[in-house]
């Protein structure tokens, strides 16, 4: 018998002084703990791929808690689960909050579940204090956010918004050779149902997601949570430098077209470009293929990847142009050819200034310094943001570790974030 208990670990350092306004750290810890048992790995990590039995069990468990809390529960054709609390004016568009409960193959217990359970904790608090919002509020669990199954992700949120290309999705195969249709079928869903999952955006006013930061900024700032200013849209460039392979011994130094020398200068200079366009832009060369890749051969060809991100489309696109121009400049200098192609270009989703200001107010009312930071990684909110206003709160993650069993977020930070979330959702109710 393993003695692992996420709940006990969470409660170990918990300050019960945060239990007020109907919130309970113990309830949140015990729910995070129960979820952590589903698909728990030998390393005490989490293994709940999208559209798996594990993800389904996790959804069913949260759905049971939703019902206990008095919500009416509904699952759409994409497997997304909604727990709805009627508003006093129930015909108004709903406020939605949640995240996902799937994980990467050996992930942690906070990425996803914390966002879902934070939204549910707001409901629990309202139940305790007898508060009913003017507008309907829905706790949402999106299916298959991580994309561990099909190397894609966001299949739930895309389904709810009618985004994504269904023709492409039905071509998908998981590592066991199962098609999208077969995988859906296994958990009681269908392609037809998936296509019908799209909701009318008029039914929804705003989506707010709580998520762990997966970075170290909040930890460095010693803050429990922060305000996300936008979600960066990635662009993946593939840049190929082509020179001439030759014998390393017989080719004089002044008679070479070494593709790796050109690529090296390019890589070294790429790092200075993001700072020229904005404070939030980043660019990374993460992958390199050298041909022929021999000890005694001058590299004839180098293919490399550049991952380029920013939260603003203009500056991100400007950065893409600068990276391409750098490639051309370096190629001329070293007398090699260069070609670049784009494998992906997703639009960034900035978060409206007015929404950020409302969040700032919630932070200040809760005595937390409002700190703003961009999200470098994609989240369900990024997909929802294509059609609806979104807000996002990041919670401190220990050492920025994520997608790993060591992923950790202090319960004090979690519950303070729920206080902010609750305040923010209440501030959206109008006078
Ligand atoms: Zn996540």
């Amino acid at each position: 018998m393993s003695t692992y208990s996420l709940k006990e670990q969470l409660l170990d350092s918990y300050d019960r002084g945060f239990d007020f306004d109907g919130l309970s750290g113990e309830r949140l810890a015990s729910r995070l703990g129960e979820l952590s048992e589903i698909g728990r790995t030998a390393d005490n990590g989490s293994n709940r791929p999208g559209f798996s039995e594990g993800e389904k069990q996790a959804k069913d468990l949260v759905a049971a808690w939703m019902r206990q809390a008095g919500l009416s529960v509904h699952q759409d054709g994409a497997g997304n689960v909604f727990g709805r609390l009627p508003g006093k004016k129930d015909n108004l568009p709903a406020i939605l909050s949640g995240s996902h409960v799937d994980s990467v193959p050996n992930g942690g217990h906070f990425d996803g579940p914390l966002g879902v359970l934070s939204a549910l904790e707001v409901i629990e608090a309202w139940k305790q204090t007898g508060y009913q919002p003017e507008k309907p509020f829905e706790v949402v669990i999106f299916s298959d956010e991580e994309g561990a199954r099909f190397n894609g992700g966001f299949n739930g949120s895309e389904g709810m918004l009618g985004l994504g290309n269904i023709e492409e999705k039905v071509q998908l195969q998981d590592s066991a050779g199962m098609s999208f249709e077969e995988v859906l079928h296994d958990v009681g869903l269908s392609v037809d149902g998936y296509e019908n999952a799209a909701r009318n955006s008029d039914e929804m006013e705003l989506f707010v997601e709580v998520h762990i930061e997966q970075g170290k900024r909040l930890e460095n700032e010693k803050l429990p949570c922060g305000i996300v200013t936008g979600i960066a849209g990635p662009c993946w460039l593939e840049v190929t430098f082509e020179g001439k392979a030759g014998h390393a011994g017989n080719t004089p130094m002044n008679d070479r077209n070494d593709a790796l020398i050109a690529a090296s200068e390019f890589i070294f200079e790429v790092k200075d470009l993001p700072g020229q366009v904005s404070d939030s832009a980043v660019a990374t060369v993460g992958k390199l293929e050298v041909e022929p890749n021999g000890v005694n051969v001058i590299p004839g060809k180098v293919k490399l990847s550049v991952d380029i991100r920013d939260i603003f489309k203009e500056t991100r696109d400007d950065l893409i142009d600068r990276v391409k121009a750098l490639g051309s400049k370096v190629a001329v200098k070293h007398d090699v050819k260069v070609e670049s192609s784009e494998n992906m270009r997703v639009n960034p989703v900035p978060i409206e200034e007015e929404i950020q200001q409302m969040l700032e107010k919630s932070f200040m009312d809760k005595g937390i310094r409002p700190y703003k930071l961009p999200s470098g990684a994609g989240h369900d909110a990024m997909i929802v943001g294509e059609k609806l206003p979104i807000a996002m709160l990041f919670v401190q993650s220990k050492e920025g570790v994520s997608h790993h069993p060591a992923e950790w977020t202090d319960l004090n930070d979690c519950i303070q974030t729920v206080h902010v979330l609750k305040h923010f959702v209440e501030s959206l109710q109008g006078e």
Side-chain angles (χ1 to χ4, degrees):
M1 268 289 281
S2 137
T3 53
Y4 175 82
S5 164
L6 183 68
K7 178 185 174 180
E8 277 171 34
Q9 282 183 47
L10 281 165
L11 284 172
D12 233 18
S13 56
Y14 184 58
D15 173 356
R16 284 176 198 270
F18 291 120
D19 282 351
F20 59 91
D21 282 350
L23 299 192
S24 157
E26 176 147 9
R27 180 172 46 222
L28 184 58
S30 118
R31 288 178 170 176
L32 282 164
E34 274 192 68
L35 276 181
S36 79
E37 296 300 318
I38 303 172
R40 182 148 66 86
T41 64
D43 307 330
N44 292 326
S46 173
N47 183 20
R48 293 192 299 264
F51 300 121
S52 66
E53 186 51 36
E55 187 201 38
K56 187 174 181 301
Q57 275 181 36
K59 285 176 183 169
D60 289 348
L61 180 59
V62 179
W65 293 329
M66 288 173 171
R67 284 190 195 93
Q68 274 171 34
L71 304 183
S72 51
V73 178
H74 156 79
Q75 180 178 287
D76 71 10
N80 301 313
V81 177
F82 303 88
R84 181 178 170 103
L85 178 76
K88 284 184 193 159
K89 298 177 185 142
D90 202 39
N91 54 347
L92 289 175
I95 312 283
L96 276 72
S97 183
S99 193
H100 58 97
V101 295
D102 67 318
S103 77
V104 298
N106 194 19
H109 301 297
F110 299 86
D111 177 352
L114 182 60
V116 172
L117 295 178
S118 295
L120 186 56
E121 192 56 31
V122 170
I123 298 277
E124 298 285 2
W126 286 346
K127 214 174 100 180
Q128 303 262 310
T129 58
Y131 174 92
Q132 189 189 8
E134 296 294 313
K135 300 169 183 175
F137 182 73
E138 295 184 23
V139 180
V140 51
I141 310 172
F142 287 118
S143 301
D144 188 36
E145 190 272 347
E146 296 288 4
R149 197 70 186 249
F150 295 113
N151 254 324
F154 310 118
N155 277 311
S157 40
E158 286 187 347
M160 179 186 90
L161 290 147
L163 296 166
N165 184 329
I166 191 75
E167 277 80 37
E168 279 172 23
K169 290 190 198 290
V170 293
Q171 302 298 322
L172 294 170
Q173 272 202 341
D174 73 2
S175 57
M178 278 171 77
S179 70
F180 188 66
E181 185 170 10
E182 288 166 329
V183 164
L184 289 184
H185 191 261
D186 254 18
V187 284
L189 301 167
S190 69
V191 171
D192 275 357
Y194 182 90
E195 283 194 271
N196 289 326
R199 276 178 82 165
N200 185 344
S201 336
D202 296 345
E203 297 170 7
M204 302 171 282
E205 177 181 316
L206 175 140
F207 172 67
V208 49
E209 182 167 7
V210 167
H211 202 281
I212 56 165
E213 180 196 345
Q214 305 173 286
K216 292 190 251 189
R217 293 183 204 221
L218 292 167
E219 189 174 49
N220 291 338
E221 297 289 329
K222 298 188 172 54
L223 287 168
C225 47
I227 299 166
V228 177
T229 51
I231 303 171
C235 170
W236 287 355
L237 276 187
E238 188 177 87
V239 181
T240 308
F241 290 98
E242 195 164 356
K244 222 180 288 149
H247 194 285
N250 296 330
T251 318
M253 293 311 286
N254 61 3
D255 188 24
R256 297 181 174 205
N257 305 92
D258 186 327
L260 186 54
I261 299 284
S264 307
E265 184 164 329
F266 173 83
I267 295 166
F268 191 73
E269 287 196 18
V270 157
K271 71 178 192 318
D272 297 325
L273 298 180
Q276 296 171 10
V277 301
S278 85
D279 291 343
S280 47
V282 288
T284 308
V285 175
K287 199 174 151 191
L288 207 63
E289 279 170 43
V290 180
E291 281 178 39
N293 210 24
V295 175
N296 56 356
V297 193
I298 297 163
K301 192 170 166 183
V302 174
K303 202 191 274 183
L304 55 86
S305 66
V306 195
D307 174 303
I308 301 165
R309 297 172 193 237
D310 200 2
I311 57 172
F312 308 108
K313 185 173 185 301
E314 256 168 60
T315 47
R316 197 275 314 261
D317 290 351
D318 182 10
L319 181 54
I320 297 169
D321 292 341
R322 283 173 196 249
V323 170
K324 287 180 180 167
L326 173 65
S328 306
K329 186 188 96 179
V330 167
V332 169
K333 182 172 166 190
H334 295 282
D335 199 15
V336 297
K337 281 187 277 184
V338 67
E339 250 176 51
S340 54
S341 61
E342 279 178 28
N343 291 340
M344 171 163 62
R345 194 191 276 229
V346 177
N347 280 341
V349 179
I351 291 174
E352 289 170 24
E353 195 57 45
E354 195 192 336
I355 291 173
Q356 291 186 42
Q357 282 168 11
M358 290 181 75
L359 280 169
E360 271 180 59
K361 184 154 188 317
S362 295
F363 271 67
M364 289 187 301
D365 278 15
K366 293 289 154 198
I368 301 166
R369 175 164 62 90
Y371 176 82
K372 298 187 174 185
L373 70 171
S375 171
H379 297 288
D380 286 311
M382 172 177 82
I383 304 298
V384 181
E386 288 188 38
K387 289 207 175 172
L388 290 183
I390 55 159
M392 202 163 178
L393 289 167
F394 269 169
V395 193
Q396 189 189 114
S397 353
K398 190 178 176 200
E399 286 163 22
V401 175
S402 173
H403 286 186
H404 186 278
E407 186 177 282
W408 184 258
T409 290
D410 194 86
L411 184 58
N412 295 310
D413 295 341
C414 297
I415 212 81
Q416 287 187 79
T417 310
V418 183
H419 276 292
V420 172
L421 174 69
K422 176 174 166 292
H423 187 284
F424 172 67
V425 175
E426 288 169 3
S427 71
L428 293 169
Q429 304 301 321
E431 291 307 297

